[in-house]
Structure formats: structure tokens, C-alpha cells
Amino acid sequence: MKVILITGRTFMQGVGMEAGKDSDVYKENAAVCYITVDDMDKLGIKEGDNVKIKTKYGEVVVKALKSKDEHDGIVFIPLGPWANAVMGYETDSAAVPTFKGIEAEIEKTDENVLSLEELIRKTYIEG
Amino acid sequence: MHYTDVVCTFCGTLCDDIEVTVEDNRIIDIRHACRVGASKFFKASDIKHRRTKPIIRENGREIEVSLEEAVEKASEILADAYRPLLYGWSSTTCEAIKYGVFLTDLVGGIMDNTATVCHGPSVLAFQEVGYPSCTLGEVKNRADLIIYWGSNPLHAHPRHLSRYSFYPRGFFRERGMQDRELIVIDVRRTDTAKIANKFIKVEQGKDYELVSALRYVLNGGVLKKDYVAGVSREEIYELVDKMKSCSFGVLFFGMGLTQSSGKHRTIDNAISLVRDLNRFTKFNIMMMRGHYNVTGSNEVLAWETGYPYAVDFSRGYPRYNPGETSAVDVLVRGEVDAALIIASDPVSHFPKEAVKHLLRIPYISIDAFYNATSMFAKVYIPTAVAGIECEGTAYRMDGVPIRVRKIIEPPEGVLSDEEVVRMIYEKTMEKIKERIEEEAAEKVIV
Amino acid sequence: MKIILKNGYVYDPINNINGEVMDIFIKDGKIVNEFREKDAKVIDCKGKVVMPGAIDIHSHIAGGKVNTGRILRPEDHRRFVIARKFKNGKFFRSGAGFSVPSTRITGYLYAKMGYTMAFTPALPPLMARHTHEELSSIPIIDKGALTLMGNNWFVMKYLKAGEIEKCAAFAAWLLKAVKGYAIKVVNPGGGEAWGWGKNVTSLEDRVPYFDITPKEIIEGLMKVNEMLKLPHSEHLHTINLGRVGNYETTIKTMKLARGLENRDRHVLQITHAQFHSYGGESWKSFESKAYEVAKAVNKMKNVAIDVGFVTLDPTTTMTADGPMEYYLSSLTHLKWTNKDIELETAPGVTPYNYSPKSAVSSVQWAVGLELALLVEDPWRVMLTTDHPNGGPFIRYPRIIAWLMSRKYREDFMKNMNKAVEKRAIISSLDREYDLYEIAIITRASQARALGLKEKGHLGVGADADVAVYDINPEELNTAEYEKIERAFSNAYLTIKSGEIVVKEGEVVNEFYGKTYYVDVEVEEELMQEVERDLDYYFKRYYSVNLANYPVSLDYLTNPTKIERKIERVKVIK
């Protein structure tokens, strides 16, 4: 399914970050994405299933969570290395990359969510 | 021991009314802080989960070293570098940042702070059209219309609403929230939107259009379309009316505006809207700054060099051209050959292409907490947590400078960012002086 | 280090020395009595001018709005850069900025011109820590900060209620808390009105809610200033700055000083008087009223001015007069920043291009010079540009040359808008300043205005801040004005605290100067009453806690306290 990705801060990602980047709280709150109930139905997934997100910049597996907000067609990922694995790097001469509004393909997957260190080794260093 | 008037060093709200109880150098109770702020206090005092020894990595091996050895290695990396990047500088004190500027000037590197990926576009817009603003106390005392646009303070700045904007009683707003109206403009109904008097849902990436429509109507235009950026004509007219007729309005904006398409052009337009509004009433605009001292980082760099971020010293004097001299760009283009990362975690927060280059070059990570960037650093130096284990200066999002306090002792042997950066600066200076003298001696022989 | 400056022509107005050839002896940072040559560094100053280090009483070099000016104007910094350098085993920092230079090079640039002290004139108390952080990163020169009080809620509340003793105690508390040096008043009442997008335009206007007038604030603070026996006078940027026809307000403002006296100095400083000496009905008929204002200054012996010369450069305007900056930007349509500061003040910033081709700019240029040439007593004139508002401080040598050379003024006017000849009288003024008068308006009158006994002269006991210029008074020809400008731009020698910091226009050494602040103690019972009010207001209306407000001495380089002890605050009626 085609969606638009946006990233941003969440309260719990903040708590996780302050608890430590290598902590479980952080992974639980950053290696996720928020999808509306309608979109979940369309994808044929339920809360807690893993999804694979693909953009022209890369792909990443995260856990799907139910969004309480109304934003069909938009998938929200908290700031963090999982999000960055699929976000753009072009800054359009404005220094800041486009962290919001990237076109993506999203699908159900059986693959596991990588830990922070695995993610970096696999997709950043080796990839 | 009970401390009052403690400053929380989490976000740009920089609350300075925290009360902390300390027993045996451990924080056992915190009052007034939000949950995120409190977790930072507790984490700092939870020594078990912190690394307290500097590390050097050689051939895949991790060696614990003394601080002096780590500083020696760090200054070697920087002195040897042709064009190093010194990045971070937002969750640390102005005192540390100042030595950071000295160091970057000395090694002819590039200094950039996290604004580059947050409110950098806002700064660019500021440089185009200006910035009519005020301090947060002004909002508390006078504001009757409060707008958050692309910002979700309940999550990112949890006490912003209760300390400064919507809830508090102010001098001319004695009844607090009853004397004010809160409007949220966002692409999704955020938790802040849920408590607002009014939520306006804008289509993702269409903020520029909405701002333009507001300016058009404000300046006497007549909208012909029924919807602009997903917002109905009626809503637009109503909003303009509210903005014009309030006695003191304020527009807070966040990443929703800076990181979407349009970037600084959207902010430019939003600032221009506020400027236009000043022909009718009093209106201000303010960036919702994230890191507790990202504002201070822009300030220190500006007074030391003239420019607030993305400063390149490689020609021997400060030069500024975001998009060229900014951290993500120099990394993506593979231009830098070494780095010093302080109080920041670009491995977690930069786009993959930028991180890939960083992981290829030798770099130093200085951080109170061991993070993803520290995991792959050539040199890691742990430091004390500012505002908890050491003092210093930080600037709130509205530019109010506050002295952050020390309430507990840092782990043994762990120094502040300021001291560590100063040590690296002094050591690097020694090395560079030696080289200049050697070069001069060679010239004489020739 | 011991230094002897031999055989220079010494200009030291405070000690009535007018170009006498003499030797100056320096030891341990002070001017001392004669000592033997053999243990000292002897510098031959034959054929050169020796003056005390110059002082700038009003220059926006540090603080929130100065830095806002820097952040706002990358295009300004590309006009002027200084590269880093290594010299004598020392690392000298790089920097950038034409109208708003970065802090390190601010110190270097002042020293290069023989300046050894500069005061930043508008410290907003809540932002004081910022001002001090910047001051502390300016090397070489001595520093201080004038503290904004003209729109302070406590001040307005106390004065309205007729509680002038409490107002005085509050002013004393505030100066000490923020490490300020003097009472600065900017657009009194107008800053508060600006909180609602309004302004005041007459001395009798009423400030919204506080119901007080600009006149009452100016008079009240002038009295408070004398009740506290402060070293400097009230430093006033009166209302209507930059407005057509504002000279009448300025003259009325001066008259508010009637009846007040101080043995050592004036009681009111009309700052950047140039911006307040305009006539005309509209911008079209804009004209100089320097003659009228100078006449009033000549009469009012207890009033002094600093000029605020316009140098005809592109610059960045910045003031605590927020409504004025908004007005200016609405004329130019250039970028504009504003920062209202809770309970205190409202600074703003906008760029401005003073073009010699513009009628208004060229008349403004004339107004400044006319004021300096028409006020008879140089002891009540101070050379400033209100840096960077009238132009950057690096233009002081040019202003000196304009004042000393009628020919320079005539030549410079050739390329100017003809309005300067019709709507100003500058072309009819013959007066040329001599070196003694220059020494007064750049050193002696400024030191006296600040009430600093160890500054601005070369008598025994003075601080050894000295400037030597490569000008031979015997051969001085004012028609060769480039020589004058060049000499004052590049001091042959600048000595700060007894150390050589500049040699032939090049900075060769750096360290930090002193930072002056005042500490006035008033009776305890009075202070306790004020503290109760502080508690109440801070809890409710400030956005920082009272405990986090005062600035500690850690922020000041070589903090230097001027103390006053007032047993019992006596009301001046």
C-alpha cells in the first residue's frame, strides 16, 4: 500500500531516549510506526504485527501500532535510526533533510525488528 | 538535602522551578518536573547504567583508558584532520560551546549544531524577514490568542502550556485559560489538538498554501475556492478574524513546519503573516526549540563568529552557507575527514547517507550518556550531566539565559563537557603550535 | 612591566595638559611618578601624540539584541572578516561583521583605534546574563552595561504611587542583581505601550494601565539617580526618536533637568542627540534642528549629550525602543525583529542603509556634525555613533577627521544629496576641533560622565590606558585629512593596563579588561519592603524564579565594583 511517511517526537520516544538509546524502552517506542485503524484493515494487519516500509532511500522493519489520531494514508514514525533508514538525505540547500512527507510502500512482514546495533551494522555499515 | 529552583535540562522550555531531594548523592524525589524531565534526572543519578570510563577503539577492540589518554587521542585526530566537523552543541552548556568555537577556529573545521536538522530553516527565514517575538512571560501576562502550528507541546514540551501559554494566570489574564483561546493547526489530531478550543487540520505538506490564504484574506483578498490545503473557506475567514481581533496573539511553531516541504519558505511566509498582523494588533511568533540549549548554541556561535550554525572556518575566518557548510551536507558529500560529536546522537538522528560517511571516518563522541554514536566512536569520553552534576548557562527557547545548577556529584573522574572540551582545545593548541614552529624551522633551513 | 613613553605631545584635558612635550611613566598598570630609565622599556614618542585611552560611553557591542542583529544579518558579516592568526606564541581568534562585529574582533578593533573602554548601553535585566556572557568574551577593553529601567513595571508602579524611595531601593537592587552600571531609560512608557502594539508620542501621554507619563518616569528616575549618588547620570533615550519634528520634545525633555545638580557631572545625558534634533512636517520637508537643540544644551549646564553621528554606511539599527524599530521597518520594508521582554522592555532590530544620495540620510549626517560644532562646551559632548545605529564604531577616526577638517566636510559633501546644503547649516560652520578638544570628547568628558576617577587621564594614579598616534601637532595640516583619519584608525601604540596591546595598528597581545558595576547599599527596612514586592511579582508574573534571576560575578571578567552606601535614602523633591 502507498502511504506518506512523517516523523516526529513522541512523549514516550522522549522518555525512551532519556532512559538510554540502548534501552528496551527506546526500541519499544522508536522502532514502531503509527497507522490508523482503517489503514490497518486495508493492510490486513493488527496492532503489534511487523511491517516493512520501503522508500527510494531504503527499507526497514518496525512494529505497527494503532494510531489514536485521524490521518488515513499517513504513517507516523518517531524520530530515530529506524525512521532514518528510510528517510531522505537531500537538504535542498536548506541544511535540513526532508523528515516529513516521504512517499513509501508499506506491507506486512514476518521479518524481525532489528535492535539498534544490528540495524546500524546491517543497513548503515554493511548496507 | 532538598533543592529548590532547580533547572530542568531536557527541552527548550527550561523549567526553573524543579524541586529535587538528594540522599547520598542519589536523587530520590523530584517535584514539578514532567515525566520526560524527571526520567532524565533519575537516569543521571542511576550510575549503574552509565559508562564512566573513557574508551578508545583500535582494530575493533575497545580499550578503557584514562581521561588524559583519551584527550591526547582526540586532539591527535583533530590536529591531523584536514577538515573536521564538530557537531552537536545543543544539549550542553554555553561554556562548553564557547571552547568548541575556539577549537573549531583553531583546527579550521566546521562547527554545526542540532538546529541544522530542526529549526535551521526557521533561522534561514529569520534572516530573510526577521522575527517579531517576545519572552514567554509576555505570553503569560498578555496573550489572549495562542496558536500552535506543527507543534505538539504536550509531547515535546510537556509543561509549555501550563507554565507559559494557555493555563497560567497572568497579569492581564487573571482567569488563566478562561481569558484565552487555544488553536492547534496540524496534519493530525495530536494530544495538544484534543485539548484546544479549535483544531484546524491542514493537509500534509500544504502549510505554505494555508499561510498564504490567511495572508491573502488578512490583506483584503477574497477567497474563491471552498477549500485551501484541506481547510474550508469559513474556517480561514474565522481564523483571520480571530487573529486580527485578539489583543495579543502568539504563534508557536515546530518541526511540522520546518521539516515539511517548503521548509524555510513556509516559515518565511508564517513570519510575514505575523508581521502583517502587527498592522492590526499585537502578534508574536516563536520557535518551539527542542534541545534545552539549542538556542544558546546559536547565540554563542553568533557572538563568537557572526553566524548561528553551520560555520566553516576552513578559510581561516568564519563563513556560513547552510546547504553547503551544514553537517548533513558535508557528511553526505563525504567532505569531512574527522569529527567530534558532543551531546548529540547523529547516528540515531541523521539520514542514513550521512551516517554512513560518519561511520567511515575517525570521530570522537563526548556525551554524558553512551548512545548509538558513542558505540562506533574511535574515542568516547563520558561527561557530567549539565544541570544535575555541573553548572553552566543555557538559553530558553525565547532567549532567556538561565544558570543551570549542580545538585549531585558526577561519577568519580568524570568531568563536565566544558572541562573536557577545554582540555582537548589546549592539547590541540600545543600540537598545532609545535607544527607551526617545525614548519617555520624548515623554512629557515631551505 | 615598566614603560616610559618619551617626548610625546601629551593631550590630557583632565589635567589641563594641552600638547606639552613630556614623558609618561607606567608601572604595574598605573601611571606613576618618574622613575629611572634603566629598568624600563623606553619608547620614543617624539613627533607623536599621546592621549589617554579612548572611551565609548554608548556602543551596542554585547547582549541579546546585538546578537539578534548578528544572526539577522549574514550579508553584513561578508563585508568584513578578520582571519585567525598566531603571533608571539598566541592564538588570535577570527571573526566577522561590519556593522555588528563578533565579540573577539570587537575588542581587537577598538584597541586598534586606541580605545580601551566601551559601555554597552541597553542591558535588559532579564537578559543580563546574556549581555555579560558577551562582554566577557570581548578581549582587551574595559566594559560595563547601562541597565534599562524606563519601562520597568516596578519603576512605573512605585513612581505612580509616589513611592520614590522604594523606586530608589528597587533600582539599587536591580543594578546589583544584574551587575549594571547606570540607569538607562529608553522611550519611557513607550516600551510598555508597545506590549499592546501602541506607543507614546508626547511627554504627557499616559501609559496604558500604569497611567503614568513619560515625563514622570524621566523625572522620577533622574531623582532616583541622584538619591542613590550613582557615578553616572540618568542616561536617556527620550521619546520620538527618529521622528520628523522631534526636536521640540528633545528640548522639553532637557528642561526636565532644571533644578537638579551634581558637583561632579551633569544630571541628564541626552543620548544619541542627533536622532532627536529633527525638524520638518514630513519626510519631504525633513530638516536639521541641531542649532535649536545645541542652543538649549548651551543653556542647560546640567545636561550633556552624546552625539550619535551618522556615518553614511549601511548598518544595523538596534534599540530597546521596539515601536521605533517597527516604524522604521515599515518605512524601509526591510526585515524586522522584535523581542518584548516581560515587565521590562521591548527591543527591536532592523537594517538601515544610510545613503549619501538620500536627502534624509545626508541631513542626518549634517545634524550630528552640527551638534558637535555648535555645542560650545566640549565637556558636555561625547563622540559616539550609537554604534551601530548611526554607523559602525570603526568609523570614529573618520568622524574625528570631519570634526578637525572643514575641507574634509566640504569634499565629502560633494557626493551627497543637495538637501544637505538646503536643509542643514553644516556648510556654513567654520569651526574645526583641535586635538585637545578631540581628547575631551573621546576621553575626558566620557570618563567624567561615567564618574570614573582613574580613567580618561594620564595623571599619577590613573589606569595606564594610553594611546599614541602618529600625528605631529607641529606639522598638522587639517586639509590633509586622510592622514588624520589614518592615524586615528591605526594607533601607533595602545597600552592597556600597562601592557602593550597594539603596535602600529596591529593587535599583538590580548587579555581581559575590567567589568564595572555598581553596588549601592540602602537602608534595610526599605529594602525589605521592596523584597516583599519582588517575591509577589516574581511568583506571579515573571517566567523565571527570583532565585534564578541575579547574575553572579562568575560572568564578569575582572569584576570592578563601584560602591555607595546610603544610610537613609533622602527624597529629592
Side-chain angles (χ1 to χ4, degrees):
Chain A
M1 191 171 92
K2 282 205 186 320
V3 292
I4 297 288
L5 279 184
I6 58 175
T7 65
R9 241 179 260 286
T10 67
F11 185 76
M12 283 312 296
Q13 163 257 336
V15 173
M17 198 165 75
E18 289 307 326
K21 292 272 169 57
D22 48 356
S23 69
D24 290 340
V25 200
Y26 184 59
K27 185 179 159 186
E28 275 164 30
N29 291 289
V32 296
C33 69
Y34 293 89
I35 308 180
T36 63
V37 182
D38 284 356
D39 285 349
M40 278 194 167
D41 288 347
K42 280 186 207 157
L43 278 169
I45 55 166
K46 53 182 194 310
E47 181 153 41
D49 285 352
N50 287 352
V51 289
K52 180 180 272 186
I53 298 172
K54 287 187 202 165
T55 68
K56 69 170 173 173
Y57 306 102
E59 56 181 62
V60 72
V61 175
V62 292
K63 188 158 77 173
L65 295 176
K66 204 171 356 173
S67 172
K68 287 175 280 174
D69 311 328
E70 317 143 9
H71 50 76
D72 289 349
I74 295 177
V75 169
F76 179 88
I77 316 188
L79 290 175
W82 291 273
N84 286 323
V86 292
M87 301 310 278
Y89 56 84
E90 296 100 335
T91 73
D92 311 326
S93 293
V96 58
T98 305
F99 285 121
K100 296 182 199 288
I102 305 271
E103 288 174 12
E105 185 73 36
I106 186 164
E107 64 192 33
K108 190 178 171 177
T109 181
D110 298 330
E111 289 177 40
N112 289 328
V113 176
L114 298 178
S115 74
L116 177 70
E117 197 164 349
E118 286 165 348
L119 174 84
I120 287 165
R121 286 206 186 284
K122 257 198 164 131
T123 63
Y124 286 59
I125 296 179
E126 292 152 21
Chain B
M1 185 71 184
H2 187 71
Y3 295 88
T4 57
D5 309 297
V6 175
V7 185
C8 171
T9 50
F10 170 64
C11 76
T13 311
L14 217 58
C15 303
D16 74 329
D17 62 339
I18 314 296
E19 296 187 9
V20 184
T21 311
V22 174
E23 258 175 36
D24 299 332
N25 207 42
R26 276 180 68 89
I27 293 169
I28 56 161
D29 191 27
I30 296 165
R31 298 264 164 90
H32 306 318
C34 71
R35 192 168 159 198
V36 190
S39 77
K40 177 161 183 172
F41 278 96
F42 284 124
K43 179 172 71 159
S45 86
D46 186 6
I47 301 294
K48 286 198 301 293
H49 289 98
R50 278 175 64 185
R51 295 221 176 186
T52 57
K53 291 273 184 300
I55 292 165
I56 292 180
R57 286 195 178 85
E58 302 265 15
N59 310 320
R61 283 195 318 130
E62 197 174 277
I63 312 156
E64 273 191 6
V65 295
S66 69
L67 179 62
E68 288 67 29
E69 286 169 285
V71 165
E72 171 69 28
K73 184 76 194 166
S75 55
E76 198 178 292
I77 291 172
L78 291 170
D80 286 346
Y82 183 69
R83 200 175 189 217
L85 168 69
L86 291 85
Y87 176 80
W89 313 109
S90 292
S91 287
T92 186
T93 61
C94 292
E95 289 76 4
I97 298 163
K98 197 167 77 182
Y99 282 110
V101 187
F102 294 4
L103 177 58
T104 319
D105 197 356
L106 178 71
V107 299
I110 291 167
M111 182 153 173
D112 201 0
N113 55 47
T114 62
T116 201
V117 292
C118 288
H119 274 288
S122 311
V123 176
L124 294 179
F126 182 115
Q127 290 168 341
E128 283 297 316
V129 286
Y131 189 65
S133 196
C134 62
T135 62
L136 289 164
E138 280 286 283
V139 177
K140 173 163 105 169
N141 289 324
R142 298 185 205 263
D144 56 350
L145 178 64
I146 291 141
I147 302 174
Y148 288 95
W149 193 328
S151 164
N152 185 11
L154 273 189
H155 282 224
H157 304 85
R159 294 183 72 215
H160 198 267
L161 288 150
S162 59
R163 264 176 76 76
Y164 310 119
S165 67
F166 185 45
Y167 295 115
R169 294 162 197 275
F171 192 82
F172 297 104
R173 299 285 168 249
E174 287 172 359
R175 298 182 305 154
M177 64 183 280
Q178 292 172 47
D179 286 343
R180 313 179 197 264
E181 177 158 15
L182 175 65
I183 297 177
V184 170
I185 306 173
D186 211 310
V187 295
R188 57 196 179 103
R189 188 184 285 276
T190 59
D191 285 340
T192 311
K194 285 170 197 158
I195 58 160
N197 302 102
K198 170 117 188 115
F199 167 56
I200 293 172
K201 188 172 167 187
V202 56
E203 267 178 59
Q204 207 286 322
K206 297 271 178 73
D207 305 274
Y208 187 92
E209 283 89 329
L210 183 57
V211 178
S212 297
L214 292 168
R215 287 187 70 194
Y216 181 63
V217 172
L218 178 71
N219 291 306
V222 178
L223 276 189
K224 296 202 179 85
K225 289 183 118 185
D226 292 338
Y227 285 89
V228 177
V231 183
S232 73
R233 184 167 54 202
E234 289 68 38
E235 278 185 299
I236 290 173
Y237 276 91
E238 194 196 339
L239 182 56
V240 169
D241 222 39
K242 281 183 178 157
M243 287 170 140
K244 264 165 81 171
S245 59
C246 71
S247 55
F248 186 109
V250 59
L251 170 58
F252 294 107
F253 68 98
M255 299 295 98
L257 237 50
T258 64
Q259 293 180 343
S260 301
S261 68
K263 293 177 185 168
H264 58 289
R265 298 169 199 89
T266 311
I267 314 298
D268 178 324
N269 210 5
I271 297 172
S272 301
L273 168 67
V274 170
R275 185 179 165 142
D276 291 349
L277 280 162
N278 273 282
R279 292 208 315 273
F280 301 92
T281 183
K282 183 76 182 178
F283 224 98
N284 289 303
I285 188 163
M286 199 184 297
M287 309 173 204
M288 296 289 287
R289 309 299 304 259
H291 293 279
Y292 77 87
N293 194 29
V294 62
T295 309
S297 189
N298 294 145
E299 296 285 356
V300 176
L301 255 167
W303 80 57
E304 292 284 343
T305 73
Y307 306 114
Y309 71 109
V311 183
D312 182 359
F313 290 90
S314 59
R315 290 190 192 166
Y317 56 84
R319 208 168 67 83
Y320 167 77
N321 191 19
E324 181 204 345
T325 60
S326 34
V328 170
D329 297 277
V330 290
L331 284 169
V332 169
R333 287 200 307 271
E335 269 177 28
V336 287
D337 57 345
L340 180 147
I341 310 292
I342 179 165
S344 177
D345 186 10
V347 169
S348 292
H349 295 282
F350 273 9
K352 188 171 67 178
E353 290 306 308
V355 176
K356 275 184 170 176
H357 183 71
L358 180 62
L359 295 175
R360 280 195 287 265
I361 59 176
Y363 71 85
I364 304 133
S365 160
I366 301 174
D367 208 303
F369 305 108
Y370 191 75
N371 60 29
T373 303
S374 323
M375 276 182 211
F376 302 93
K378 191 95 178 165
V379 181
Y380 166 68
I381 304 178
T383 46
V385 186
I388 299 175
E389 296 167 339
C390 60
E391 290 186 288
T393 314
Y395 286 62
R396 207 165 63 186
M397 61 167 68
D398 56 353
V400 172
I402 297 178
R403 183 146 187 95
V404 305
R405 291 161 184 253
K406 174 179 177 172
I407 45 174
I408 56 174
E409 287 299 323
E412 208 186 321
V414 173
L415 302 181
S416 66
D417 288 336
E418 179 189 355
E419 288 166 295
V420 169
V421 179
R422 185 175 50 81
M423 287 167 78
I424 296 175
Y425 168 63
E426 282 165 3
K427 200 79 194 163
T428 311
M429 171 86 87
E430 275 175 33
K431 288 192 195 303
I432 286 179
K433 258 189 205 161
E434 278 166 25
R435 286 176 199 189
I436 287 173
E437 277 158 23
E438 277 166 27
E439 271 171 36
E442 268 171 39
K443 274 181 198 150
V444 171
I445 293 161
V446 174
Chain C
M1 185 149 84
K2 286 161 122 184
I3 300 174
I4 304 172
L5 300 174
K6 273 193 91 77
N7 293 320
Y9 294 96
V10 175
Y11 291 86
D12 180 6
I14 287 178
N15 296 303
N16 298 311
I17 296 168
N18 183 359
E20 269 174 58
V21 173
M22 46 191 291
D23 302 340
I24 301 289
F25 296 85
I26 296 168
K27 188 185 160 195
D28 301 330
K30 292 279 179 189
I31 309 288
V32 296
N33 282 313
E34 190 168 344
F35 52 72
R36 285 184 306 161
E37 280 187 23
K38 72 174 178 54
D39 339 306
K41 184 179 176 69
V42 179
I43 300 172
D44 182 18
C45 297
K46 193 160 183 252
K48 295 189 173 60
V49 161
V50 178
M51 289 186 184
I55 299 172
D56 192 347
I57 199 169
H58 188 116
S59 174
H60 297 268
I61 49 173
K65 72 179 140 3
V66 179
N67 220 31
T68 298
R70 293 191 188 98
I71 297 174
L72 186 67
R73 301 213 62 205
E75 71 278 12
D76 174 81
H77 316 334
R78 291 179 182 131
R79 292 169 58 97
F80 189 93
V81 295
I82 292 183
R84 67 173 175 271
K85 71 171 183 188
F86 289 89
K87 176 117 192 163
N88 307 334
K90 278 200 166 193
F91 169 50
F92 294 87
R93 291 278 322 285
S94 69
F98 173 73
S99 66
V100 255
S102 54
T103 47
R104 304 282 150 187
I105 67 170
T106 295
Y108 301 162
L109 290 168
Y110 263 118
K112 193 171 141 66
M113 305 187 301
Y115 273 73
T116 50
M117 180 178 224
F119 275 51
T120 199
L123 170 141
L126 181 61
M127 310 302 226
R129 204 169 270 111
H130 183 165
T131 307
H132 283 295
E133 278 211 283
E134 286 196 27
L135 285 178
S136 74
S137 76
I138 297 176
I140 304 177
I141 57 173
D142 293 331
K143 303 151 283 192
L146 316 183
T147 307
L148 291 163
M149 296 196 197
N151 289 287
N152 190 292
W153 285 11
F154 291 96
V155 168
M156 291 191 292
K157 185 170 89 87
Y158 288 141
L159 290 179
K160 177 70 196 172
E163 299 174 311
I164 197 167
E165 309 95 311
K166 278 199 198 170
C167 186
F170 170 74
W173 175 83
L174 191 65
L175 285 170
K176 190 175 178 184
V178 304
K179 307 292 175 282
Y181 189 78
I183 296 178
K184 172 73 185 297
V185 178
V186 172
N187 187 4
E192 170 54 28
W194 183 237
W196 303 113
K198 301 185 167 62
N199 198 2
V200 293
T201 56
S202 115
L203 291 168
E204 278 80 32
D205 275 0
R206 304 221 150 250
V207 180
Y209 178 81
F210 291 91
D211 197 36
I212 189 170
T213 64
K215 174 174 174 275
E216 289 163 347
I217 299 172
I218 295 168
E219 284 176 334
L221 283 173
M222 217 182 316
K223 287 174 187 163
V224 162
N225 198 86
E226 301 310 315
M227 282 156 67
L228 294 176
K229 302 184 167 57
L230 296 180
H232 184 34
S233 70
E234 174 175 335
H235 194 106
L236 173 65
H237 155 157
T238 192
I239 63 169
N240 289 337
L241 179 143
R243 300 280 177 155
V244 177
N246 63 9
Y247 78 104
E248 286 173 339
T249 307
T250 310
I251 294 171
K252 274 186 205 154
T253 305
M254 282 185 218
K255 290 182 179 159
L256 301 178
R258 275 184 186 152
L260 276 179
E261 344 188 295
N262 185 302
R263 263 185 308 147
D264 300 322
R265 54 155 171 78
H266 51 272
V267 294
L268 179 64
Q269 177 159 342
I270 299 290
T271 191
H272 36 68
Q274 179 276 130
F275 289 114
H276 300 273
S277 306
Y278 300 156
E281 299 287 314
S282 71
W283 289 109
K284 281 222 161 76
S285 59
F286 180 78
E287 60 178 348
S288 169
K289 286 287 179 189
Y291 178 81
E292 285 75 3
V293 172
K295 203 165 84 182
V297 176
N298 286 337
K299 262 193 223 147
M300 299 284 301
K301 307 287 181 209
N302 56 353
V303 174
I305 60 166
D306 66 83
V307 177
F309 291 95
V310 162
T311 63
L312 297 178
D313 287 290
T315 194
T316 312
T317 70
M318 51 185 66
T319 143
D321 190 343
M324 180 268 152
E325 294 290 350
Y326 174 69
Y327 171 67
L328 184 58
S329 74
S330 67
L331 294 177
T332 61
H333 303 287
L334 295 177
K335 50 194 177 183
W336 161 64
T337 77
N338 180 76
K339 170 73 81 59
D340 293 351
I341 292 165
E342 61 209 57
L343 293 82
E344 294 177 353
T345 178
V349 181
T350 191
Y352 193 78
N353 186 7
Y354 292 98
S355 162
K357 301 288 173 209
S358 135
V360 171
S361 297
S362 56
V363 172
Q364 288 178 303
W365 172 82
V367 173
L369 291 166
E370 287 172 5
L371 281 172
L373 296 168
L374 291 167
V375 173
E376 288 150 10
D377 175 9
W379 288 95
R380 290 191 286 120
V381 175
M382 287 162 254
L383 189 156
T384 64
T385 56
D386 184 19
H387 164 84
N389 288 307
F393 68 78
I394 53 172
R395 288 284 188 248
Y396 290 174
R398 181 168 291 174
I399 296 168
I400 291 171
W402 281 330
L403 291 172
M404 292 183 69
S405 166
R406 185 173 182 191
K407 175 114 191 356
Y408 196 178
R409 302 197 291 262
E410 282 167 0
D411 288 356
F412 205 78
M413 276 195 297
K414 282 177 190 153
N415 295 318
M416 236 182 253
N417 189 298
K418 294 301 162 225
V420 72
E421 281 157 25
K422 291 180 219 141
R423 290 191 249 138
I425 55 167
I426 182 73
S427 45
S428 69
L429 299 180
D430 292 330
R431 183 174 169 194
E432 289 185 335
Y433 269 63
D434 62 21
L435 287 165
Y436 188 70
E437 289 170 315
I438 292 294
I440 295 174
I441 66 167
T442 54
R443 283 93 172 141
S445 71
Q446 311 225 16
R448 194 170 275 182
L450 288 168
L452 290 170
K453 300 263 186 286
E454 70 277 26
K455 294 291 180 188
H457 70 104
L458 298 173
V460 170
D463 282 358
D465 302 340
V466 190
V468 180
Y469 298 107
D470 196 358
I471 300 173
N472 188 336
E474 307 286 339
E475 295 164 7
L476 182 70
N477 174 2
T478 60
E480 294 175 347
Y481 48 80
E482 298 98 335
K483 276 191 187 166
I484 300 174
E485 186 173 340
R486 207 177 312 129
F488 280 102
S489 299
N490 297 287
Y492 176 73
L493 208 60
T494 305
I495 294 174
K496 172 70 186 63
S497 305
E499 303 282 334
I500 295 170
V501 287
V502 172
K503 271 186 193 163
E504 295 180 53
E506 192 192 0
V507 177
V508 292
N509 191 9
E510 71 167 327
F511 46 83
Y512 290 109
K514 299 189 230 181
T515 310
Y516 284 93
Y517 71 99
V518 300
D519 181 342
V520 187
E521 202 182 308
V522 301
E523 67 253 38
E524 218 183 306
E525 311 84 71
L526 185 58
M527 195 51 99
Q528 280 168 352
E529 285 180 51
V530 169
E531 279 167 1
R532 274 197 292 277
D533 289 345
L534 286 170
D535 257 356
Y536 184 91
Y537 267 68
F538 267 85
K539 276 209 184 87
R540 282 162 187 79
Y541 308 123
Y542 264 105
S543 62
V544 296
N545 282 8
L546 181 55
N548 289 320
Y549 187 83
V551 178
S552 66
L553 286 176
D554 305 334
Y555 285 89
L556 280 61
T557 64
N558 305 313
T560 306
K561 180 159 64 173
I562 305 291
E563 273 182 294
R564 297 283 188 269
K565 194 166 161 49
I566 314 286
E567 296 289 345
R568 182 138 207 99
V569 174
K570 284 197 199 85
V571 177
I572 297 176
K573 285 276 188 302

